[in-house]
Amino acid sequence: MASLRYFLPFLFLLLSGCNAFKKSSPDIIDHTGGAVTEPGVSAPLARYRKAMITKIRYDLHFDIPANRDSQILASAYLSFQLRHRPKGDLQLDFKEVPAKLKTLTVNGKPVPLRCQDEHLLIPENQLVKGDNRIEINFIAGESALNRNPDYLYTLFVPDRARTVFPCFDQPDLKAVYALTLTLPEAWDAIANARLKATTYPASGRKQLQYAVSDTLSTYLFAFAAGKFRKDSLQLSTGNADFLFRETDTAKIRQSVRTIFNLHKDALKFMEEWTGIPYPFQKFGFVAIPDFQFGGMEHPGAIQYKSSALFLDAGATMDQQNARTNVIAHETAHMWFGDLVTMNWFTDVWMKEVFANFMADKSTEAQTGREMFDLKFLTDHFPAAYSIDRTSGSNPIRQELANLQDAGTLYGNIIYHKAPIMMRQLERLMGKEAFQRGVREYLRRFANSNASWPDLIRILDQHSPADLEQWNKVWVNEPGRPVIGYQLDTVSGKISKLLVTQSPEYGQKRIWPQLFELRLFYKDRSKELTINLDQPQVEVTEASGLEVPLFIQFNSSGQGYGLFPADARILPALYSLKSPLNRASAYIGLYENMLNGRTIRPAELLDRFTEGLSREPEELNLKLLTGYLINIYWQFITEPERNQRMHTLEQKLWDAMLHQSKPNHKKLLFRAYQDICISAGAQKKLYAIWSSQRAPEGMRLTEDDYTSIAFSLMLRSYKDSGIAAKQRDRISNPDRLKRFDFILPALSAGVEQRDAFFASLAQKANREKEANVVTALYYLHHPLRQVSSIRYLSKSLQMLSEIQTTGDIFFPQNWLQTTLSFYHSPEAASIVNDFLKQHPDYNPKLRAKLLQAADPLFRACNLLSQTGL
């Protein structure tokens, strides 16, 4: 999605043979293709090309110099068949400076270069029905090459292959690729296909020739090259290579074999569950410093964020679960997304929901049912609610007019609400019927493309339920239901229990779903299953039962919506025996607090503070501390915060010291580090950092000490030498660059922070998006908001460019880290004024902004209230 701005002199464009400004000369034909062009890949163009083009092959050669500032010379040999001659020029996608195209040959004849609206135009009179061959010499575009001083990697999702080489950049025009890389001799590389041959064309240079790949969409074509270490292991798929740049020997020793074993387990599960052996010619992966995502599913060359894979002995359960999840997720993509790919990015959510859902299922056998349920609940529900409760929420399935906007489809709805929906679907159908239907879908569309309607039609044949109607509200509409109830009693017995649902906003609709509620008595409890397939249902099983002390709705954590929170549960909150019941209660109380129901923020903060020393389950403790931090910084007044500051700091510290489990200790320590304000708390942090001596029973790593240093600098701690001292402790060159980038955002001087923020207006300074997001967190931290609030207006003005030039998650991460923790009416006014001043703003970006600003709006509302 990198943007191209033609700042070149008009004469230079004429000399290059491309005209970026004028319409080309052929007659206008129609809206579906031919000579009519528009930037990006529109849905009509994609349909037109899909109907005409087949059997595509790319032979690509990239000559990569050691110097990152030198151009990459490249060539492409493209062969394909046409079912008929095109009606007008055939459009190849190329979103780069037209002057980078050097020569064009079509079916053996040199052809003048003509470019228009991010397309290279192939004259219709040079094309024939049947076999066609196009040869192009060019300078590779670099927007998606992610070049660093001694390594690079491609990242083409969703439509960025066209920023590097001319291609048919749409997911349903799958092709095979024959790749050749010429590299510095000291570099290694990984690609989709097996390495076929290595030669040495010149001193200090080597050439890697890869076999013809499996059939892939353009966004899945990939390679990485540079100074990497390599390890290999024999898996069921053959020999698997692992490239990485980590230098910490302890992390390498602790992690590498575990990483291979996790891939081995994920592959085994997927082969058994789908009934289809691993479907590609090779399996391999690469760990990349500061990678934009957690992972990316290129067959044979999966890319991961290095820090997600390499953990130390002190890693928390949450970190270990995250690593297991991302490996299982990317491995599941080999079947869901790679073997069977969506027709169009409208259904991009399908590959993500199955990857997440299969990753969750693969852990169930290892962890047991209750831990699986708990992990599913804490992983998905808070994240899904964070979007679906907002006025900017989007459906799981969204329409898309042009691939250049495909990145806006990604977010918590497709990654977290969709797995919840899929689990409800599996529960409705039954596990065996669901599996049979999915297996049929994979076999029918293997090495091809499919849509969600294709899958629903298959699943419908395996279920007596009306899945088409069920699909309408869950998949095609946004939002969540508000669950209510009416309890009638007579003589200490339940005479009637009614459960109702209504939309939180928008038109009336019903979310058919199954969930549980639990009736709690003095020495026992009883769980009932509710089939809420109507606006109102009577729970007949409850009739005649004793009136409970309290009722917990969604006790199993599988229901979706804003459930009632019975205030009578509060005194018994930490006495609930099931970790799953407690987690569901924490989530329900927090969601009700945000909606101004049941409990005020300050009271909930106090209740959650009680749990710091009483919650024994690590996943729940992470949930509690996360909620506690959010409430502390955003949803209580400054007097309320000052009143609780010392108590909260002390309770966190005491809970950490008395906790026997290292992972629990680390979660509590991180929360302490996050909320500490008092001079005494800062002094404790400084003592740990300066002595590099962790609290007893806990292990801290170089990354942890860097984080502590950042916290102290954020608080302008009196030792001005913290930055220099911590910098001297960092040995890994990639982590050192990250440190240097973030440092100005932590400066005690407003002028330095102003200069850093101003520098982000330049695209080159936003290349390492993960580092930018971390820097923004510190720049906009509540302790700095008095000065940083003036950045908000410019940050919103930059959003459109951020979306155009950044990777798929950058716009939402930019917004969330910018707006997170603001709670003032002034900040809310800046957002509202921006929306009023831009009534025709890109609707998908407008939705992202409303999603990110929702906590700000709720904070303003809650802080303005004196009571419920």
Side-chain angles (χ1 to χ4, degrees):
M1 301 182 297
S3 175
L4 175 66
R5 283 169 167 74
Y6 294 98
F7 293 123
L8 301 176
F10 183 69
L11 177 61
F12 184 75
L13 289 172
L14 288 176
L15 293 175
S16 74
C18 289
N19 188 333
F21 300 97
K22 295 168 61 180
K23 292 293 181 184
S24 58
S25 56
D27 294 335
I28 300 297
I29 298 168
D30 59 36
H31 190 58
T32 60
V36 175
T37 65
E38 62 179 283
V41 180
S42 67
L45 173 62
R47 289 193 296 268
Y48 174 81
R49 294 194 304 202
K50 176 61 178 174
M52 182 172 56
I53 304 169
T54 186
K55 295 185 179 179
I56 305 169
R57 169 171 168 156
Y58 298 92
D59 287 73
L60 297 166
H61 178 210
F62 296 94
D63 192 341
I64 302 171
N67 184 351
R68 72 168 284 183
D69 296 324
S70 299
Q71 294 178 327
I72 297 176
L73 302 181
S75 63
Y77 183 102
L78 172 57
S79 62
F80 55 91
Q81 288 187 357
L82 291 177
R83 294 185 176 92
H84 55 79
R85 281 187 59 180
K87 298 177 180 179
D89 298 335
L90 181 64
Q91 299 177 32
L92 271 176
D93 310 318
F94 189 58
K95 187 182 180 182
E96 248 300 348
V97 177
K100 288 193 172 183
L101 297 168
K102 298 304 178 184
T103 64
L104 171 65
T105 302
V106 180
N107 289 325
K109 297 180 181 179
V111 173
L113 289 159
R114 289 188 303 130
C115 299
Q116 183 175 299
D117 292 332
E118 303 172 355
H119 300 286
L120 171 61
L121 303 182
I122 309 300
E124 62 174 315
N125 59 8
Q126 300 297 322
L127 297 167
V128 297
K129 180 181 178 180
D131 294 333
N132 289 268
R133 298 174 304 280
I134 296 174
E135 297 176 59
I136 308 167
N137 289 303
F138 61 101
I139 297 168
E142 298 190 11
S143 295
L145 282 183
N146 298 283
R147 293 184 76 178
N148 290 270
D150 56 357
Y151 71 97
L152 60 78
Y153 60 95
T154 62
L155 186 59
F156 293 157
V157 64
D159 67 332
R160 302 190 71 189
R162 66 194 180 102
T163 69
V164 174
F165 64 97
C167 58
F168 300 117
D169 202 2
Q170 60 189 73
D172 60 349
L173 284 181
K174 288 190 169 185
V176 296
Y177 300 80
L179 174 66
T180 300
L181 298 175
T182 302
L183 308 166
E185 189 173 349
W187 286 23
D188 211 329
I190 189 169
N192 302 109
R194 294 187 304 269
L195 182 61
K196 183 178 177 181
T198 303
T199 56
Y200 299 88
S203 176
R205 305 285 290 168
K206 70 179 177 184
Q207 191 168 93
L208 306 180
Q209 184 180 358
Y210 291 90
V212 177
S213 75
D214 301 285
T215 304
L216 305 171
S217 298
T218 44
Y219 80 91
L220 294 171
F221 169 65
F223 61 87
K227 290 184 178 179
F228 290 94
R229 291 185 58 173
K230 182 165 72 173
D231 206 337
S232 301
L233 192 71
Q234 194 72 20
L235 300 179
S236 61
T237 58
N239 192 63
D241 290 336
F242 176 23
L243 272 61
F244 57 90
R245 288 173 58 83
E246 180 58 64
T247 57
D248 186 323
T249 55
K251 284 185 177 181
I252 294 170
R253 186 171 57 251
Q254 185 82 18
S255 301
V256 169
R257 282 300 172 266
T258 300
I259 293 166
F260 274 114
N261 288 336
L262 288 172
H263 281 99
K264 180 180 178 181
D265 292 343
L267 285 164
K268 182 175 183 292
F269 174 82
M270 288 304 303
E271 289 181 329
E272 291 177 353
W273 197 92
T274 64
I276 300 173
Y278 176 70
F280 297 99
Q281 63 181 260
K282 69 178 281 278
F283 191 82
F285 41 96
V286 54
I288 297 169
D290 303 315
F291 186 57
Q292 292 94 317
F293 317 151
M296 182 60 206
E297 66 267 20
H298 309 119
I302 300 173
Q303 295 170 348
Y304 293 106
K305 179 178 287 189
S306 184
S307 60
L309 296 189
F310 285 97
L311 305 180
D312 57 69
T316 64
M317 180 186 291
D318 184 60
Q319 289 174 301
Q320 296 172 37
N321 283 341
R323 177 171 65 183
T324 301
N325 279 356
V326 73
I327 288 173
H329 178 105
E330 302 308 332
T331 303
H333 268 311
M334 301 300 108
W335 286 262
F336 297 100
D338 296 2
L339 177 66
V340 180
T341 310
M342 63 278 171
N343 289 334
W344 187 242
F345 269 81
T346 290
D347 286 316
V348 66
W349 69 274
M350 286 179 64
K351 72 183 184 74
E352 300 304 336
V353 64
F354 272 111
N356 259 353
F357 191 58
M358 291 297 115
D360 292 325
K361 290 180 75 67
S362 70
T363 63
E364 184 175 4
Q366 303 168 23
T367 62
R369 176 61 186 269
E370 179 145 344
M371 181 54 69
F372 165 74
D373 286 343
L374 177 62
K375 185 174 174 298
F376 191 93
L377 173 65
T378 57
D379 279 354
H380 296 304
F381 282 75
Y385 289 161
S386 71
I387 303 301
D388 231 11
R389 72 167 87 97
T390 76
S391 59
S393 182
N394 55 268
I396 292 175
R397 190 173 196 249
Q398 303 176 69
E399 293 303 318
L400 181 68
N402 193 304
L403 281 183
Q404 65 186 357
D405 292 324
T408 62
L409 305 183
Y410 288 80
N412 283 350
I413 293 298
I414 70 172
Y415 282 97
H416 296 290
K417 183 181 180 180
I420 296 167
M421 174 276 296
M422 197 62 77
R423 195 174 186 198
Q424 283 285 336
L425 177 58
E426 183 187 54
R427 192 171 178 182
L428 177 66
M429 293 181 63
K431 288 188 175 182
E432 291 183 2
F434 179 79
Q435 184 178 22
R436 286 195 303 271
V438 174
R439 283 182 167 188
E440 181 182 336
Y441 162 79
L442 288 173
R443 289 192 301 269
R444 184 179 300 183
F445 294 102
N447 295 307
S448 185
N449 301 81
S451 67
W452 172 244
D454 292 327
L455 175 58
I456 277 291
R457 280 191 290 269
I458 292 173
L459 294 180
D460 217 10
Q461 297 169 9
H462 294 266
S463 172
D466 182 359
L467 296 188
E468 293 284 356
Q469 183 60 33
W470 179 94
N471 160 72
K472 181 181 178 183
V473 67
W474 274 103
V475 176
N476 295 329
E477 296 183 9
R480 61 181 183 173
V482 176
I483 309 300
Y485 75 104
Q486 176 187 327
L487 180 66
D488 296 336
T489 64
V490 176
S491 302
K493 302 284 186 179
I494 297 175
S495 59
K496 180 183 287 187
L497 175 58
L498 295 176
V499 179
T500 64
Q501 65 166 299
S502 58
E504 191 167 16
Y505 54 81
Q507 62 184 8
K508 289 185 178 180
R509 54 202 188 278
I510 298 168
W511 286 259
Q513 59 176 310
L514 295 161
F515 65 87
E516 280 67 40
L517 62 79
R518 186 174 287 273
L519 309 175
F520 283 87
Y521 300 93
K522 183 176 181 180
D523 55 357
R524 70 188 192 281
S525 66
K526 182 175 180 60
E527 191 165 72
L528 305 176
T529 296
I530 313 299
N531 182 9
L532 191 58
D533 59 356
Q534 300 294 327
Q536 176 179 289
V537 299
E538 181 177 353
V539 185
T540 55
E541 290 178 78
S543 297
L545 297 177
E546 292 180 40
V547 176
L549 297 176
F550 58 87
I551 301 174
Q552 183 184 15
F553 280 81
N554 199 27
S555 53
S556 68
Q558 294 188 41
Y560 189 76
L562 179 60
F563 288 89
D566 190 335
R568 295 172 297 175
I569 200 174
L570 290 168
L573 190 58
Y574 302 109
S575 300
L576 300 178
K577 293 180 180 179
S578 166
L580 183 62
N581 290 165
R582 294 196 302 276
S584 182
Y586 301 156
I587 293 170
L589 286 167
Y590 186 79
E591 290 298 317
N592 276 275
M593 178 214 77
L594 290 178
N595 279 269
R597 309 190 333 172
T598 307
I599 191 167
R600 294 183 65 250
E603 183 185 353
L604 187 57
L605 178 67
D606 294 340
R607 290 288 184 181
F608 283 170
T609 301
E610 291 175 24
L612 295 174
S613 58
R614 299 180 64 183
E615 176 53 69
E617 171 53 53
E618 184 179 338
L619 293 179
N620 284 357
L621 189 59
K622 178 178 182 291
L623 188 66
L624 268 184
T625 53
Y627 282 156
L628 184 147
I629 290 166
N630 287 350
I631 298 170
Y632 184 74
W633 285 120
Q634 190 164 32
F635 295 110
I636 61 175
T637 65
E638 188 172 351
E640 288 174 325
R641 186 161 46 251
N642 291 336
Q643 180 184 354
R644 288 163 173 78
M645 174 179 65
H646 293 286
T647 300
L648 180 55
E649 289 174 349
Q650 193 61 49
K651 283 186 177 293
L652 277 166
W653 186 262
D654 290 344
M656 179 194 67
L657 292 181
H658 290 98
Q659 179 57 249
S660 60
K661 297 179 180 178
N663 288 354
H664 292 58
K665 281 181 175 288
K666 201 161 191 178
L667 284 171
L668 291 163
F669 177 77
R670 286 175 176 169
Y672 180 84
Q673 175 187 330
D674 196 291
I675 62 92
C676 88
I677 299 177
S678 72
Q682 292 183 44
K683 187 176 180 180
K684 286 179 180 179
L685 275 186
Y686 180 76
I688 291 169
W689 172 81
S690 61
S691 67
Q692 292 191 279
R693 189 173 301 159
E696 186 177 353
M698 187 174 70
R699 181 181 303 213
L700 296 176
T701 66
E702 179 190 283
D703 290 341
D704 292 321
Y705 285 112
T706 297
S707 177
I708 296 170
F710 283 167
S711 293
L712 290 168
M713 285 185 275
L714 178 67
R715 289 156 175 81
S716 301
Y717 194 74
K718 58 187 177 181
D719 183 353
S720 61
I722 291 175
K725 293 173 186 175
Q726 185 60 34
R727 192 181 193 282
D728 289 341
R729 295 174 177 178
I730 300 173
S731 57
N732 181 279
D734 296 319
R735 285 194 283 272
L736 193 59
K737 290 171 186 172
R738 181 177 186 273
F739 181 90
D740 289 341
F741 179 85
I742 295 169
L743 198 58
L746 286 152
S747 173
V750 176
E751 297 83 2
Q752 288 84 357
R753 300 200 300 272
D754 288 349
F756 174 78
F757 177 73
S759 75
L760 297 180
Q762 301 300 316
K763 179 181 179 296
N765 295 324
R766 303 192 302 265
E767 286 183 350
K768 292 288 185 182
E769 294 175 3
N771 296 347
V772 173
V773 168
T774 302
L776 288 174
Y777 165 79
Y778 291 114
L779 199 67
H780 291 280
H781 190 276
L783 294 173
R784 293 280 174 84
Q785 286 181 1
V786 170
S787 60
S788 63
I789 192 170
R790 65 178 182 274
Y791 305 147
L792 290 187
S793 181
K794 178 64 175 177
S795 297
L796 299 183
Q797 293 169 24
M798 291 172 63
L799 180 59
S800 182
E801 182 181 345
I802 293 293
Q803 188 266 330
T804 303
T805 61
D807 278 302
I808 54 179
F809 298 112
F810 197 28
Q812 67 191 56
N813 290 338
W814 174 273
L815 285 170
Q816 287 169 358
T817 49
T818 295
L819 295 175
S820 63
F821 297 129
Y822 278 97
H823 51 263
S824 68
E826 181 186 358
S829 293
I830 291 171
V831 175
N832 284 321
D833 288 346
F834 178 84
L835 291 170
K836 290 176 184 176
Q837 292 162 12
H838 299 83
D840 299 322
Y841 200 57
N842 181 321
K844 286 186 166 54
L845 288 183
R846 180 185 178 86
K848 295 288 185 190
L849 177 52
L850 289 170
Q851 292 166 13
D854 183 74
L856 164 62
F857 296 150
R858 290 180 188 271
C860 290
N861 183 50
L862 289 169
L863 292 172
S864 69
Q865 298 177 10
T866 56
L868 293 179

